[in-house]
Structure formats: C-alpha cells, structure tokens
Amino acid sequence: MSRPGPPQEPVRNSLIDDAKARLKKHDSGTKYSHCSSNKFSILLPLLAKDGKLYLLFTLRSEKLRRSPGEVCFPGGKCEPMDADDVATALREAQEEVGLRPHQVDVVCCLMPLPFDKDMWITPVVGFIDSDFEARPNPDEVKNVFLVPLEYFLRPRVYHQSHLTRRGRRVIIHCFEYTDPEHGVTYCIRGLTARCAVFIALVVLREKPSFEVDFNLSDLIPPSEESFLKPPKHALSKL
C-alpha cells in the first residue's frame, strides 16, 4: 500500500506568499498615476498550480483594430469611471476573460512603461485561483492560455532583437511557446514579453539562459528619471 504524499495546499500557499513578498518590493502604488492623461493598465495574472507558478495570457481577436492576433495580458485604456490604475486593469480583465475583481488578489503596481508616443501602461500584478475558468469575450479575445513562469527564464524557443533608445541598447524579447494540451504555438514578444521576464526575474531569482538588459544584482524597473523624462518617441515594440 502506497503512502499518501505530502499535502499540496501548504506548498501552494508558501509559493504564493514568497512571490508576493518579492513582488511587493517593486510596488509603485499610485506614485505615478497623475503623470499622464493617456493611461492604460494591464493585469499580469499569476496562479499556482501543481507546485509551479503560471502567467495567464490572451490571444487578441483578429477583429480588433490595435494589435490583432497578438498575445498580450488583459488590459486597456483608463476610463472616467475607473478609480485608479488597478480599477482599469480589473475592469478590462472582467470584460475580456470574465475574471471578476473579487477573484483577483492584487499584489502590486509596477512602474509605468512607455508605449507609443505619450501613452503609458501600468502593469498590475495579482494572483487568481488555479481553478479559474476563463470566458473569453469573442469580440476581443480569441483564446486564453497559461505559460509556466520559469519559461521566461529558460525557454525552449527564443530569439531577440535590439534597438537603441536615447543612446541605450534595448533588448526586444520573443518567446515561442507551444501549449502541451492543445499543441498550439504562441509568440510572446515586445512589452508583454518584457513584463513576463521582469516578473520571472523578481519572483524566481534565477539567472536567465539569455541576455537581458536588467541589472540582475539590483532588479528595478525603468528609473524614475527615465519615467519623468520619456523619450521623444517611445517605441510600441517595447
């Protein structure tokens, strides 16, 4: 007779608690919420499953005008009824994949990122239940899928390109991930990939198998100076 294995719930809770503690060190709160009128927010949904952490992504509908058919996180433009950046991210997640606000344990807001001229995107990080069943809005989302967080440090298929912004060399990451359940291959790149890499570095604290332009000994998002003095033309590829 086989002996029962160790309980999974304490392991799961420890995994989540450790991740939360590391992420909260990078919480910018509402510090930059007043700095731009053209604001967007995205939700980076984390979940713990089978002893691993995963990120939830969406594949955008081909019907959309902006970035059709691309992989991204749930998110969108701040609306007048939104109380703050978190409210924007939660509202958009509910509209896109049926994730209700009370189903998200918000951990932190990362420093906003430049995207296409005067547009700024605030990444909001939160945990969701492992048994969450997405209900994609077909007008906005074609599919929803999970990727192990560790994949953004040790990918099977990966390539990168480079650009120069304000005299600084910036790496553009591109991951190809094949969903083992359905055999579908997704391309995760640009700002979406950059956010995933940063979260993986913060939470897992391991050296990636590829080059990054983060300081691995002192992980911080773009500096306050870079935020307050954005480039003349921020590039959407980021």
Side-chain angles (χ1 to χ4, degrees):
M1 182 176 178
S2 60
R3 300 176 63 182
Q8 295 299 312
E9 195 64 22
V11 175
R12 176 180 177 275
N13 291 342
S14 176
L15 194 66
I16 293 174
D17 290 344
D18 288 347
K20 285 182 178 179
R22 294 169 184 175
L23 287 165
K24 285 178 180 178
K25 295 179 181 179
H26 298 273
D27 184 19
S28 65
T30 59
K31 185 176 182 180
Y32 301 103
S33 60
H34 66 286
C35 294
S36 173
S37 59
N38 193 18
K39 300 190 300 179
F40 288 68
S41 292
I42 55 176
L43 179 67
L44 279 59
L46 282 163
L47 62 89
K49 182 180 178 181
D50 299 328
K52 290 184 178 182
L53 293 175
Y54 291 79
L55 276 169
L56 180 145
F57 295 87
T58 66
L59 180 66
R60 291 171 63 84
S61 169
E62 298 287 354
K63 306 174 186 177
L64 296 174
R65 180 178 59 84
R66 181 185 291 274
S67 305
E70 292 194 2
V71 171
C72 65
F73 292 109
K77 185 175 177 61
C78 175
E79 299 293 347
M81 76 283 287
D82 297 332
D84 51 27
D85 297 324
V86 172
T88 300
L90 296 180
R91 174 181 55 76
E92 289 286 345
Q94 182 169 6
E95 292 175 3
E96 293 181 19
V97 300
L99 181 63
R100 297 182 179 181
H102 73 268
Q103 294 178 296
V104 184
D105 182 6
V106 175
V107 180
C108 67
C109 291
L110 301 180
M111 187 176 291
L113 299 168
F115 187 84
D116 194 16
K117 297 181 180 179
D118 64 338
M119 184 189 301
W120 292 92
I121 297 180
T122 298
V124 177
V125 186
F127 272 90
I128 64 176
D129 288 338
S130 60
D131 58 356
F132 167 69
E133 295 185 8
R135 299 187 301 278
N137 177 349
D139 292 330
E140 299 187 48
V141 176
K142 184 177 181 180
N143 202 4
V144 178
F145 63 99
L146 301 176
V147 180
L149 187 61
E150 63 187 13
Y151 193 83
F152 297 102
L153 298 183
R154 295 182 297 278
R156 296 189 64 179
V157 183
Y158 169 86
H159 63 270
Q160 63 179 226
S161 57
H162 308 86
L163 58 83
T164 301
R165 188 181 67 175
R166 300 186 72 194
R168 185 170 67 92
R169 179 173 174 268
V170 179
I171 296 173
I172 309 300
H173 305 283
C174 182
F175 300 84
E176 290 184 25
Y177 177 74
T178 301
D179 184 342
E181 184 176 353
H182 301 103
V184 179
T185 298
Y186 300 96
C187 179
I188 306 167
R189 63 185 182 89
L191 184 144
T192 301
R194 189 171 184 83
C195 288
V197 169
F198 183 75
I199 293 298
L201 289 170
V202 168
V203 172
L204 301 179
R205 293 183 174 180
E206 297 177 8
K207 185 176 181 180
S209 61
F210 50 88
E211 180 187 7
V212 295
D213 48 12
F214 294 105
N215 181 354
L216 297 180
S217 62
D218 183 22
L219 272 177
I220 57 172
S223 67
E224 293 188 24
E225 181 180 2
S226 296
F227 176 76
L228 297 174
K229 298 178 181 179
K232 187 175 181 180
H233 297 290
L235 299 175
S236 60
K237 288 183 179 180
L238 291 178

